């Protein structure tokens, strides 16, 4: 089998997505996602102008060699544009393999290690009572784990809090946000106290600090949250300085998750080997594909670090499908994020995965089981959009 052609599609059914389709001489094709929120066209060009010409004529079964060729062969390594583009190729090739062998992708990754994939949903509210009610809606739908984000008194709006509830855009576009860590640090423990009071101890509760704290602030938050035994505290600080997590770890037993913006294992090597985190958030699209992610999971397993793949709505259903096959197969799976996509998105990307009896299931279609309706997608042209930025109360630029 040979790769005959490949095409990149950009569409916006509710939000922007970039999709790669690789065609073979035997009529089988594979799909990959390379959506990079706010920088979509850079990845599209990287693929069309630079990677696709190198793929023609290659054997699509050679996922390892092709991955190494694209990663090492560029000389310029790493970075979200490069790694998202390579990821799309890798995902599409694994999809082709599954289809050619007529088997779901998980069978090529070691088979099922569990019966279903535990996921967490996103609940958010303008204040604590509203957030507590929203968490209840997820529990009623059968979710075993819920992430809770609440507005902070004195701040006009904050990350993760939206007017839309079930299907919301995490990266709300628009004006600049205002931030104050001191106000937030007072509020967050009160939210989890209220949640435990209302729902008891069984439901897993998660929280995302979205890179906004310093290590000592994160340590304080972790400590304050200990009585409410969170499943995890996510992205407490930006993780460019991996050593910073030593300080957090010395002070708190709240489990730590990080890594949705990491693009290679080199972003997490110290975090893993020093056991500074509990969950690694890298997923297929940002981490360069299934090929490297399997290796990273095996490496993390030796250090008691579990997986917790990113699954916001800006990752297309193709990434979600591929991630679910990964999740169900690796032995150190922890949890999968599952923000449901908007109806238009699901219609453009018909998929085999489904939520049933509290778990997500990858489905039994050959490959990753996600399709792309080109005709329908063409009705939703690309719309330029950016992630928001964040400033402190005095106007200083801060992390969003
Ligand atoms: C999450 C993430 C997202 C990101 C988004 C950026 O935990 O789901 O933090 O909400 O902000 O993916 O594009
Ligand atoms: Mg996050």
């Amino acid at each position: 089998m040979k790769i005959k052609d490949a095409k990149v599609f950009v569409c916006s059914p509710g939000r922007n997505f970039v999709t790669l389709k690789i065609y073979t001489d035997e009529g089988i094709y594979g799909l990959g996602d390379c959506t990079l929120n706010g920088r979509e066209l850079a990845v599209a060009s990287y693929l069309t102008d630079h990677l696709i010409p190198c793929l023609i004529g290659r054997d699509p079964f050679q996922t390892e060699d092709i991955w190494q060729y694209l990663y090492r062969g560029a000389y310029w390594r790493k970075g979200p544009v490069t790694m998202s583009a390579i990821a799309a190729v890798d995902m599409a090739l694994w999809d082709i393999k599954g289809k050619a062998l007529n088997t779901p992708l998980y069978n090529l990754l070691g088979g099922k290690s569990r019966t279903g994939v535990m996921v967490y949903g996103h609940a958010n509210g303008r204040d604590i009572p509203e957030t507590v009610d929203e968490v209840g809606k997820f529990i009623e739908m059968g979710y075993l784990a819920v992430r809770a984000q609440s507005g902070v008194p004195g701040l006009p709006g904050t990350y993760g809090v939206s007017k839309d509830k079930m299907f919301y855009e995490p990266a709300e576009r628009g004006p600049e946000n205002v931030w104050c860590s001191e106000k937030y640090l007072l509020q967050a423990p009160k939210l989890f106290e209220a949640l435990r009071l209302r729902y008891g101890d069984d439901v897993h509760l998660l929280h995302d600090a979205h890179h906004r704290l310093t290590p000592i602030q994160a340590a304080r938050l972790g400590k304050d949250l200990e009585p409410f035994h969170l499943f995890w505290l996510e992205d407490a600080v930006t993780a460019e300085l991996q050593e910073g997590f030593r300080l957090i770890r010395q002070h708190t037993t709240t489990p730590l998750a990080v890594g949705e913006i990491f693009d290679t294992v080199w972003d997490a090597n110290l975090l893993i080997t020093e056991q500074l985190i509990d969950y690694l958030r890298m997923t297929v699209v940002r981490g360069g594909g299934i090929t490297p992610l399997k290796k990273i999971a095996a490496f993390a397993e030796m250090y008691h670090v579990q997986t917790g793949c990113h699954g916001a709505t800006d990752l297309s259903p193709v990434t979600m499908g591929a991630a679910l096959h990964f999740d169900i197969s690796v032995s150190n799976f922890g949890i999968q994020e599952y923000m449901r996509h908007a109806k238009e998105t699901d219609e453009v990307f018909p998929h085999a995965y489904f939520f049933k009896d509290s778990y997500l299931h990858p489905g039994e279609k050959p490959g990753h089981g996600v399709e792309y309706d080109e005709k329908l997608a063409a009705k939703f042209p690309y719309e330029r959009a950016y992630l928001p930025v964040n400033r402190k109360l005095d106007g200083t630029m801060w992390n969003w």
Side-chain angles (χ1 to χ4, degrees), residues 114-120 141-145 204 324 328 333-336 338 340 353-363:
R114 54 198 52 80
T115 50
V117 173
M118 180 165 77
V119 296
Y120 69 92
M141 284 192 290
Y143 280 74
L144 304 172
H204 294 307
L324 288 167
I328 208 150
F333 166 76
I335 199 164
Q336 167 70 52
Y338 178 46
R340 290 165 183 249
Y353 64 80
F354 60 97
F355 184 76
K356 188 167 176 258
D357 298 335
S358 297
Y359 291 91
L360 255 183
H361 304 269

Side-chain angles (χ1 to χ4, degrees), residues 147 159 208 210 234-235 260 281 310 337:
R147 183 187 101 158
Y159 165 77
D208 190 349
H210 222 256
E234 176 188 341
D235 285 349
E260 67 184 33
R281 298 269 294 137
H310 186 202
E337 180 179 16

Side-chain angles (χ1 to χ4, degrees), residues 217-293:
Q217 288 173 333
R220 169 180 151 197
L221 179 60
K223 247 179 158 170
D224 289 350
L225 291 173
E226 277 171 23
F228 317 116
H229 53 94
L230 265 61
F231 186 92
W232 79 32
L233 170 62
E234 176 188 341
D235 285 349
V237 299
T238 57
E240 286 112 324
L241 182 71
Q242 297 186 48
E243 294 89 328
F245 275 72
R246 288 185 187 137
L247 197 149
I248 311 174
R249 204 58 156 173
Q250 278 159 14
H251 290 284
T252 180
T253 57
T254 293
L256 303 172
V258 72
E260 67 184 33
I261 69 167
F262 291 177
D263 48 53
T264 68
V265 69
W266 302 109
D267 291 324
N269 59 324
L270 197 120
L271 294 173
I272 292 172
T273 53
E274 290 194 17
Q275 302 176 57
L276 300 178
I277 56 168
D278 302 278
Y279 297 94
L280 187 63
R281 298 269 294 137
M282 285 175 78
T283 193
V284 226
V285 60
R286 210 93 312 125
I290 289 164
T291 299
L293 213 62

Side-chain angles (χ1 to χ4, degrees), residues 1-5 23-28 57-58 60:
M1 192 186 286
K2 295 245 178 309
I3 296 173
K4 202 175 71 178
D5 195 9
Y23 308 84
T24 65
D25 58 354
E26 294 186 16
I28 295 173
R58 289 180 192 276

